[in-house]
């Protein structure tokens, strides 16, 4: 199996000094002090769990004999999807946005989970279902690109429209390049379907602080002005440094109803 990354577990993060720890657990908050005075930061802190909630969420993502985390199946059509028995979340985004890396990081405490990637051009794009014990399922949707074939678009649309146990869609956006045309198309689709979603900015270790701040503020403004269904707080992640991964685990646990009370820290 894979060795887990150095900061994959909260216990490792807690050993860091305070400012580094904040940067890893709450990367968005870390940016706050570089904002112009008077900037409204309410949207930076809507979901701000305490340590106990973060730890409870981590336990869900840590497999053991009594709590298996498994790849379940792949599907190309909705009638091949497993029964909608548990609350579900799905991850969508452009090809290369960092989706498989992020799912690998989320599941890094369950090293037996195999994240399948089908990137070869022409290779059938599938929805991959993962089951997290008896608590929730997570779906890795095929990456979309400007040449996404029609049947792929139809599969994603059918899934988003028909999946009644879908609690939240995580739309991944590259923090280095910001919202691209295809991201806007995805937003329009999610808005049209009226389903709740949240934007996750990936690869934040690759963006300079200035660029990250610019893209965060721009995307936040876009969400405020143009969306109904998008959660106002952006989630920032680096799958390399593990920043934002613990918070994202906690948000997944929360939206799937597995964290009934999220206390403030
Ligand atoms: P996917 O097509 O969306 O599944 O994207 P991948 O997870 O395969 O990532 C695409 C490329 O970006 C790969 O070269 C990854 O190594 C790189 N990548 C993904 N996440 C990160 C990240 O958080 N930081 C950095 N620096 N690179 C990343």
């Amino acid at each position: 199996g894979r060795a887990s990354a150095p900061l994959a577990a909260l216990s490792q993060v807690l050993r860091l000094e305070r400012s580094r720890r904040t940067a890893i657990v709450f990367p968005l908050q870390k940016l706050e002090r570089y904002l112009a005075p008077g900037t409204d930061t309410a949207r930076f802190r809507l979901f701000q769990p305490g340590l106990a909630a973060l730890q409870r969420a981590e336990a869900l993502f840590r497999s053991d004999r009594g709590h298996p985390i498994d790849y379940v199946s792949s599907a190309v059509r909705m009638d091949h999807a497993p029964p909608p028995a548990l609350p579900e979340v799905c991850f969508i985004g452009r090809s290369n946005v960092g989706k498989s890396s992020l799912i690998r990081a989320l599941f890094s405490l369950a090293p037996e989970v195999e994240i399948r990637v089908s990137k070869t051009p022409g290779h059938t794009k599938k929805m991959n279902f993962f089951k997290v014990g008896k608590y929730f399922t997570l779906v890795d949707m095929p990456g979309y690109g400007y040449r996404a074939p029609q049947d792929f678009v139809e599969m994603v649309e059918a899934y988003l429209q028909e999946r009644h146990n879908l609690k939240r869609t995580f739309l991944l956006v590259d923090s280095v390049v910001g919202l691209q045309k295809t991201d806007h198309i995805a937003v329009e689709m999610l808005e049209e379907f009226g389903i709740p979603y949240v934007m996750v900015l990936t690869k934040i270790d690759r963006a300079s602080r200035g660029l990250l701040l610019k893209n965060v503020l721009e995307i936040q403004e876009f969400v405020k002005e143009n969306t109904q269904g998008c959660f106002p707080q952006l989630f920032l992640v680096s799958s390399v440094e593990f920043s934002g991964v613990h918070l994202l685990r906690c948000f997944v646990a929360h939206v799937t109803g597995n964290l009934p009370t999220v206390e403030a820290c």
Side-chain angles (χ1 to χ4, degrees):
R2 279 171 283 125
S4 47
L7 295 176
L10 275 168
S11 58
Q12 296 157 314
V13 178
L14 292 175
R15 282 187 217 123
L16 303 171
E17 51 96 13
R18 193 190 170 84
S19 123
R20 180 101 180 94
R21 199 165 67 207
T22 309
I24 298 291
V25 182
F26 298 110
L28 187 59
Q29 264 181 49
K30 187 71 191 172
L31 289 178
E32 268 187 35
R33 58 189 172 111
Y34 304 101
L35 294 170
T39 310
D40 179 13
T41 57
R43 289 170 171 249
F44 280 57
R45 295 170 174 268
L46 296 171
F47 182 73
Q48 194 180 28
L51 182 58
L54 289 162
Q55 281 167 333
R56 252 179 287 147
E58 178 169 298
L60 284 176
F61 282 88
R62 190 186 291 282
S63 61
D64 62 43
R65 228 178 303 161
H67 176 58
I69 302 179
D70 293 317
Y71 159 80
V72 186
S73 62
S74 297
V76 285
R77 299 202 330 246
M78 275 308 282
D79 51 346
H80 296 163
L86 295 173
E88 191 159 277
V89 291
C90 78
F91 284 66
I92 65 171
R94 285 188 299 122
S95 308
N96 239 29
V97 74
K99 186 160 53 62
S100 13
S101 304
L102 178 59
I103 293 173
R104 223 173 268 130
L106 288 169
F107 285 142
S108 56
L109 302 172
E112 69 281 9
V113 177
E114 215 188 292
I115 315 297
R116 301 176 177 214
V117 269
S118 54
K119 286 198 166 169
T120 341
H123 194 278
T124 314
K125 299 188 169 192
K126 293 176 175 164
M127 313 182 259
N128 296 313
F129 291 80
F130 299 90
K131 190 168 174 222
V132 178
K134 50 184 193 300
Y135 299 100
F136 64 92
T137 42
L138 185 153
V139 190
D140 179 9
M141 298 297 278
Y144 51 78
Y146 74 109
R147 288 203 296 179
Q150 194 55 32
D151 53 351
F152 156 76
V153 173
E154 277 163 14
M155 165 173 76
V156 175
E157 289 191 351
Y159 171 85
L160 294 173
Q161 278 182 300
E162 292 171 25
R163 197 71 174 166
H164 296 300
N165 58 331
L166 179 61
K167 299 298 177 191
R168 201 70 58 122
T169 296
F170 291 77
L171 172 58
L172 275 51
V173 175
D174 190 323
S175 72
V176 180
V177 296
L179 289 172
Q180 303 289 295
K181 192 168 178 214
T182 39
D183 300 322
H184 284 289
I185 293 170
V187 166
E188 276 165 30
M189 179 175 69
L190 294 162
E191 289 290 323
E192 186 194 323
F193 298 163
I195 58 178
Y197 62 102
V198 48
M199 277 195 211
V200 178
L201 273 55
T202 61
K203 309 185 191 178
I204 63 166
D205 60 288
R206 288 220 324 223
S208 68
R209 188 189 297 138
L211 180 63
L212 185 59
L213 208 48
K214 171 180 167 285
N215 285 339
V216 163
L217 293 175
E218 269 178 25
I219 296 172
Q220 210 172 251
E221 190 60 21
F222 171 83
V223 168
K224 188 176 174 183
E225 296 302 325
N226 302 283
T227 70
Q228 298 284 325
C230 186
F231 190 64
Q233 179 176 329
L234 305 178
F235 284 79
L236 274 50
V237 296
S238 162
S239 305
V240 173
E241 295 183 341
F242 266 80
S243 7
V245 171
H246 306 87
L247 187 63
L248 197 62
R249 283 181 185 144
C250 197
F251 193 66
V252 169
H254 173 60
V255 298
T256 54
N258 288 300
L259 216 60
T261 50
V262 177
E263 77 285 16
C265 52

